[in-house]
Each structure stands twice: as structure tokens, then as C-alpha cells.
């Protein structure tokens, strides 16, 4: 028997009980997850229907797209955003009135983002209402598929990150591993070429299937011209990463990778978005994996990128998620080292250089406000790499040279002693470093990468899924 959840409507944004809304949605998601594991598909559909039309789910969806997401100030083609409580309440009432399957989505607004290799990546921005509805649908669809997703998939999943993938790689490619050949596979145009027919067959019994079909066929507008989307999913839509994961589900089964405790598989697979790392014992096995992937992806209207898909030996190393993973041999011993890749270091230096040019002639406080978040963010991302300290010291020296060039350009007629006394000193109260760059009048100072504590081990997600709760009883 399915228990009905009592949802209450509110006439004011500030009267919404967010704790209760979170509890109701999380409880329903756990029940969907448990029902899927039990194989009770009828119960899964009933619970999904309950969650789709739950007022609590709608409350959280509007909160997510108007307050929590990074693109809250970015509008779609209708140029509408919800930045104040009255607009959020209006959006919430509109979503509550319209039926999910009767809603006709508007086309997305397409923009292009410049990538590191000087190519442009398309990004489609749906309207604020479509984003809210996608969040509602995603909350109902995601727990069903999280019950069957492989544990080695780390992209766009709750409580998982790139650091979990790197930690798993460290576990797979340890010093005693026999899997020395790596297939570094890259799926070409993953979001732009998905087979809609294959995806629809996968989720054919989902209650809000009709709405997902409308989103897939909604198209996009670029420079005031409408374009149809026969094979594309909206790269920028909230539900798009989940749909991509559903399409790519089954890669381990295709490669005959079993997860039984009594069976040790020949291969190991780690996937993050459209990047896939497969560990093999021989080069022939690696080539066989590439051939299998080509035939497996063909049914999904996808293919591997010939330029980016490579077969390498672990002693030569490979790059993944901005890290370089490589086994070094020394005196008949081998050790796995994970460190920032050369490409990521070059990219970081270029970004710093462009900002230093942008703040040329500005006061020190503006320079510090611009650079500190970027330096701290880069340091926090690579703090899990065990040998990052040497790279951090090198980058600190590069930043010091930039600091010197900036103040020397600002004060061309002043001596080095005067400049040093004005801009360097023991400005960080927690450090004894005498060479901290900053403004002595305000106390603002620039962060150093060397101050970042290296984490010796990233704590991985302990269970296969974030929705799973062993203590939960239906």
C-alpha cells in the first residue's frame, strides 16, 4: 500500500517549511530506490507519480533554479528570471496549475563557450520555468536509475565528484596492479548526438515521458533563428546529464566487467561524463576494448573521438580530469604518482596572466579580490594529489614574479627596498611568512598555494548510491 504524503500549500515564499519539503522529497526518493532494487516496478511508478505532483517537490525545484544554482541570473529566450520572492511565488503557482504532460516547452537559447583548445562548445539555456519543471522530473526519475547505475560512474551524481574518480583510479592502478595498458576513450559530441529513440525506449514507462519527449524536440534559437534538435539533448538543461547517463548505462556489461567478489574481471572501467578510462592487461586487450566500444556506441548514435581516444602504457602516463596519472619505476620498484597535468598548469598560468593584465594599474585590494578566489579554488581542487606541493611552490614563484612586475609598473621610480616594505610582510596572522603580498593599511593579503594542506587520501563515497539508507524501512 502506498501511503499518501500530506503536502500543504503556502501563500507566501517565507512561510514555506523547507525542512518538511526536504524530508518529504528525500523520503519518496529513498522509497523509489528501494522499490527498484526489489524489482517492484508497479510501486516505482506509483511513487514517481506521487513525487511528480508533490507540492514539496515543486517548492524545492523553484528554490533550486532561482536561489541555489549558479545560473539563477541567466535567462532563456523569454528573458525572465526569478530574483525576488514575489516572482518565485508566481513561478511556483504557475507550475502548480499546469499539468506536466500538457506543458509545451519553449526552445532553448544557445550560446557558445570557448574551450581550452580554441574550439567553441555549445551551451543551451532553457527558460526558468522549463528549468524548474526539469528539476521536478529529475527528482522523480533519478532514484530509479541510481539503483542500477554502476559504482564506477562519477559524473553528475549526488554526493560524487571528480576526486572520488581520482581516488578510485589510485585504488585500481596501485603499485601491484597487472593492468598496465590504458584506454583513454572520449565519446565524440555526447550531448549533441544522442539517439532519442534509444533513450525513449529506456524510459518508456516513466509517468512524465511525454514531457521529456517535448524537451528533446524543443530545439534551440541561435541568432534569432530556430534550429530543430533531432539528436541533441539540451547541454545546459538540468535533466540532460541524467539522460546522458541513462543512455550510456551498460558500458560495463558490454565489456563483460563483473562485480562479483569471487570473479576478478580482466578490465576496470571508470567513467566521468564523456571520458572513460579502461584498464587492461595487454595491448591486444586494449585494442579489443576500443572495437567493442565502437560497436556498442553505434546503437546509441554515438562514436569515439579518433583524436582524443588513445591507448597508452601506465609508465607513459595519461591525463584525466586535469590530473596526470603515471607509474614511475626506480630500483626495481614502481610507484603510482598523481599530480596536476601540464595542460592544467598551463591553463592556470594563462588565466592568472589574463587577470593580471586586466587589473593593470588598479590598487592592490582590487587585485587581491580578483585573484584570491581563483588561487584558492585551484589549490583546493588539486590538494588531493599526493605530489602537488612541488607544483604549488613553482606556481607561487610565478605569482611572486607577477606581483613584482605589477608593483614595479605602479611605482617605476621607487627603490626595491621601498616597494618591499610597502607591499610585503607578515600579513597573514596564522603564518610566520615574511613575504606575504598585500595591503598593510587594510590588512588584505594574497593567498599562497603552499599554505594548502595536501590531503593524503580522499574519502570515497561508501555506498553505491546516495539515496540508499540501510536504516530506512518502508
Amino acid at each position: 500500500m502506498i501511503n499518501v504524503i500530506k503536502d500543504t500549500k503556502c501563500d507566501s515564499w517565507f512561510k514555506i517549511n523547507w525542512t518538511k519539503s526536504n524530508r518529504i522529497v528525500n523520503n519518496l526518493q529513498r522509497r523509489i530506490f528501494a522499490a527498484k532494487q526489489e524489482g517492484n516496478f508497479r510501486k516505482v511508478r506509483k511513487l514517481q507519480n506521487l513525487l511528480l505532483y508533490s507540492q514539496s517537490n515543486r517548492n524545492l525545484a523553484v528554490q533550486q533554479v532561482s536561489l541555489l544554482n549558479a545560473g539563477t541570473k541567466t535567462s532563456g529566450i523569454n528573458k525572465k528570471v526569478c530574483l525576488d520572492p514575489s516572482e518565485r511565488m508566481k513561478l511556483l503557482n504557475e507550475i502548480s496549475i499546469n499539468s506536466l504532460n500538457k506543458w509545451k516547452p519553449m526552445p532553448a537559447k544557445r550560446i557558445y563557450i570557448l574551450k581550452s583548445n580554441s574550439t567553441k562548445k555549445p551551451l543551451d539555456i532553457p527558460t526558468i520555468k522549463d528549468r524548474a519543471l526539469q528539476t521536478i522530473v529529475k527528482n522523480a526519475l533519478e532514484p530509479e536509475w541510481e539503483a542500477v547505475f554502476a559504482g564506477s560512474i562519477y559524473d553528475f551524481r549526488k554526493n560524487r565528484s571528480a576526486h572520488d574518480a581520482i581516488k578510485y583510479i589510485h585504488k585500481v592502478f596501485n603499485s601491484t596492479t597487472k593492468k598496465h595498458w590504458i584506454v583513454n576513450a572520449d565519446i565524440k559530441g555526447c550531448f549533441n548526438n544522442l539517439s532519442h529513440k534509444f533513450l525513449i525506449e529506456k524510459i518508456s514507462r516513466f509517468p512524465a515521458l511525454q514531457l521529456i519527449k517535448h524537451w528533446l524536440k524543443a530545439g534551440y534559437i541561435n541568432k534569432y533563428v530556430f534550429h530543430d534538435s533531432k539528436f541533441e539533448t539540451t547541454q545546459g538543461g538540468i535533466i540532460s546529464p541524467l539522460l546522458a547517463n541513462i543512455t550510456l548505462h551498460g558500458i560495463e556489461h558490454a565489456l563483460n566487467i563483473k562485480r562479483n567478489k569471487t570473479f576478478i574481471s580482466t578490465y576496470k572501467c571508470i567513467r566521468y561524463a564523456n571520458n572513460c578510462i579502461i584498464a587492461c592487461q595487454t595491448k591486444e586487450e586494449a585494442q579489443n576494448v576500443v572495437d567493442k566500444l565502437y560497436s556498442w556506441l553505434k546503437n546509441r548514435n554515438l562514436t569515439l573521438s579518433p583524436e582524443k581516444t588513445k591507448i597508452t602504457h601506465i609508465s607513459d602516463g595519461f591525463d584525466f580530469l586535469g590530473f596526470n596519472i603515471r607509474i614511475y619505476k626506480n630500483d626495481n620498484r614502481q610507484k603510482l604518482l598523481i599530480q596536476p597535468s601540464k595542460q592544467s598548469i598551463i591553463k592556470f598560468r594563462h588565466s592568472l596572466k589574463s587577470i593580471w593584465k586586466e587589473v593593470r594599474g588598479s590598487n592592490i585590494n582590487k587585485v587581491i579580490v580578483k585573484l584570491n578566489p581563483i588561487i584558492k579554488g585551484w589549490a583546493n581542487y588539486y590538494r588531493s594529489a599526493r605530489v602537488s606541493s612541488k607544483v604549488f611552490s613553482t606556481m607561487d614563484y610565478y605569482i611572486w614574479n607577477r606581483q613584482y612586475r605589477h608593483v614595479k609598473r605602479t611605482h617605476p621610480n621607487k627603490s626595491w627596498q621601498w616597494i618591499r616594505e610597502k607591499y610585503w610582510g607578515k600579513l597573514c596572522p596564522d603564518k610566520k611568512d615574511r613575504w606575504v603580498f598585500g595591503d598593510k593599511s587594510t590588512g588584505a593579503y594574497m593567498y599562497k598555494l603552499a599554505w594548502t594542506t595536501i590531503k593524503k587520501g580522499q574519502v570515497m563515497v561508501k555506498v553505491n548510491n546516495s539515496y540508499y539508507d540501510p536504516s530506512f524501512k518502508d
Side-chain angles (χ1 to χ4, degrees):
M1 180 179 179
I2 305 299
N3 297 322
V4 177
I5 305 298
K6 291 184 178 180
D7 276 342
T8 55
K9 269 191 161 186
C10 289
D11 56 354
S12 173
W13 181 261
F14 300 104
K15 290 182 181 179
I16 297 175
N17 190 337
W18 297 110
T19 304
K20 183 180 178 181
S21 296
N22 273 294
R23 186 177 69 248
I24 290 173
V25 172
N26 290 337
N27 186 40
L28 283 170
Q29 287 180 325
R30 290 192 187 100
R31 293 170 68 182
I32 293 169
F33 180 86
K36 177 67 174 182
Q37 284 193 322
E38 293 167 3
N40 192 341
F41 299 105
R42 185 179 178 185
K43 186 176 180 181
V44 169
R45 302 307 167 212
K46 287 186 176 182
L47 287 168
Q48 284 177 332
N49 261 317
L50 197 61
L51 185 54
L52 283 169
Y53 293 96
S54 165
Q55 184 63 38
S56 295
N57 193 13
R58 295 163 193 262
N59 293 343
L60 294 182
V62 174
Q63 183 196 42
Q64 186 74 35
V65 300
S66 63
L67 274 176
L68 304 180
N69 284 354
T72 54
K73 296 182 181 179
T74 306
S75 63
I77 59 169
N78 60 356
K79 299 182 180 180
K80 288 185 179 180
V81 292
C82 296
L83 299 179
D84 60 69
S86 62
E87 291 176 342
R88 295 187 194 112
M89 205 65 207
K90 184 180 178 182
L91 175 63
L92 186 59
N93 292 331
E94 287 178 2
I95 290 175
S96 301
I97 293 170
N98 292 325
S99 174
L100 289 175
N101 286 326
K102 291 180 180 179
W103 170 248
K104 299 296 182 182
M106 297 180 72
K109 180 178 72 174
R110 171 156 291 190
I111 61 174
Y112 289 90
I113 300 174
L114 190 64
K115 296 174 69 175
S116 57
N117 57 359
S118 299
T119 59
K120 290 184 177 180
K121 180 177 76 172
L123 182 67
D124 299 332
I125 304 171
T127 62
I128 188 73
K129 190 171 182 178
D130 277 318
R131 277 178 269 170
L133 288 169
Q134 285 185 17
T135 306
I136 292 170
V137 173
K138 181 194 172 192
N139 288 342
L141 180 63
E142 190 175 40
E144 176 193 356
W145 283 92
E146 285 286 346
V148 296
F149 279 156
S152 58
I153 301 173
Y154 292 95
D155 62 316
F156 308 116
R157 296 178 68 185
K158 198 173 180 179
N159 294 341
R160 289 172 179 259
S161 66
H163 295 105
D164 291 311
I166 295 299
K167 179 63 178 178
Y168 185 68
I169 281 179
H170 187 272
K171 182 181 178 181
V172 170
F173 301 108
N174 53 60
S175 57
T176 59
T177 185
K178 294 181 180 179
K179 299 176 177 64
H180 288 165
W181 287 94
I182 314 300
V183 177
N184 193 347
D186 185 274
I187 301 172
K188 186 178 181 180
C190 183
F191 286 92
N192 299 333
N193 301 300
L194 286 180
S195 172
H196 290 184
K197 182 180 178 182
F198 181 88
L199 177 60
I200 294 302
E201 288 176 358
K202 283 277 189 178
I203 57 174
S204 58
R205 295 183 180 181
F206 183 62
L209 176 65
Q210 199 64 32
L211 185 55
I212 294 178
K213 286 182 179 179
H214 290 327
W215 279 322
L216 292 174
K217 297 177 181 178
Y220 63 91
I221 290 178
N222 181 30
K223 295 181 180 179
Y224 304 102
V225 178
F226 174 79
H227 299 269
D228 194 10
S229 53
K230 294 182 179 179
F231 297 104
E232 294 182 272
T233 60
T234 307
Q235 190 169 355
I238 291 175
I239 200 173
S240 299
L242 175 60
L243 297 179
N245 275 340
I246 292 171
T247 306
L248 295 175
H249 171 63
I251 191 170
E252 289 193 337
H253 179 73
L255 297 176
N256 199 25
I257 298 175
K258 299 180 181 179
R259 288 177 282 172
N260 297 335
K261 293 181 180 179
T262 57
F263 179 79
I264 300 175
S265 176
T266 309
Y267 312 126
K268 285 287 184 181
C269 177
I270 306 101
R271 185 172 69 80
Y272 193 94
N274 60 333
N275 294 328
C276 190
I277 301 296
I278 300 147
C280 311
Q281 294 187 5
T282 63
K283 190 174 182 179
E284 291 74 18
E285 287 181 353
Q287 188 59 54
N288 186 36
V289 163
V290 173
D291 296 337
K292 283 184 178 180
L293 285 177
Y294 270 111
S295 59
W296 182 78
L297 290 169
K298 191 175 181 180
N299 294 332
R300 292 154 175 81
N301 197 43
L302 297 171
T303 187
L304 295 178
S305 172
E307 300 83 15
K308 297 180 181 179
T309 301
K310 299 177 182 177
I311 297 174
T312 57
H313 196 269
I314 191 65
S315 60
D316 298 326
F318 64 95
D319 293 343
F320 186 60
L321 300 177
F323 292 87
N324 179 261
I325 298 98
R326 183 178 175 183
I327 284 183
Y328 293 84
K329 294 183 180 180
N330 187 18
D331 297 333
N332 296 326
R333 296 177 63 186
Q334 56 183 18
K335 187 173 182 179
L336 177 70
L337 294 183
I338 300 176
Q339 56 189 335
S341 65
K342 290 182 179 179
Q343 191 64 33
S344 62
I345 294 171
I346 293 170
K347 186 178 178 181
F348 181 51
R349 288 178 65 142
H350 284 174
S351 64
L352 290 177
K353 185 178 180 180
S354 63
I355 293 173
W356 278 110
K357 287 182 178 180
E358 183 184 332
V359 297
R360 185 179 294 174
S362 303
N363 60 44
I364 298 302
N365 286 314
K366 183 179 179 180
V367 174
I368 292 170
V369 168
K370 278 271 189 181
L371 285 168
N372 265 353
I374 296 171
I375 296 171
K376 288 180 181 179
W378 199 82
N380 287 332
Y381 183 78
Y382 290 103
R383 68 188 298 181
S384 60
R386 294 168 181 255
V387 288
S388 289
S389 54
K390 186 177 180 181
V391 177
F392 286 175
S393 298
T394 305
M395 292 308 303
D396 276 336
Y397 181 70
Y398 172 79
I399 294 171
W400 187 92
N401 279 323
R402 282 286 165 184
Q403 293 167 354
Y404 174 77
R405 291 179 65 179
H406 181 83
V407 295
K408 194 65 179 173
R409 186 180 286 110
T410 307
H411 309 283
N413 299 324
K414 296 294 184 179
S415 65
W416 161 241
Q417 185 175 359
W418 184 92
I419 291 174
R420 185 185 63 184
E421 291 177 358
K422 181 173 176 61
Y423 291 105
W424 280 276
K426 292 183 180 180
L427 298 179
C428 181
D430 300 330
K431 306 292 180 182
K432 296 181 180 180
D433 195 340
R434 295 182 299 133
W435 288 93
V436 180
F437 181 76
D439 188 352
K440 293 184 178 180
S441 61
T442 61
Y445 59 89
M446 191 171 290
Y447 186 79
K448 283 191 174 184
L449 290 161
W451 294 345
T452 306
T453 305
I454 303 297
K455 284 187 177 180
K456 295 298 181 184
Q458 166 76 12
V459 179
M460 289 179 64
V461 59
K462 293 183 180 180
V463 291
N464 184 41
N465 200 276
S466 56
Y467 294 110
Y468 175 71
D469 184 4
S471 63
F472 173 76
K473 292 182 180 180
D474 191 28

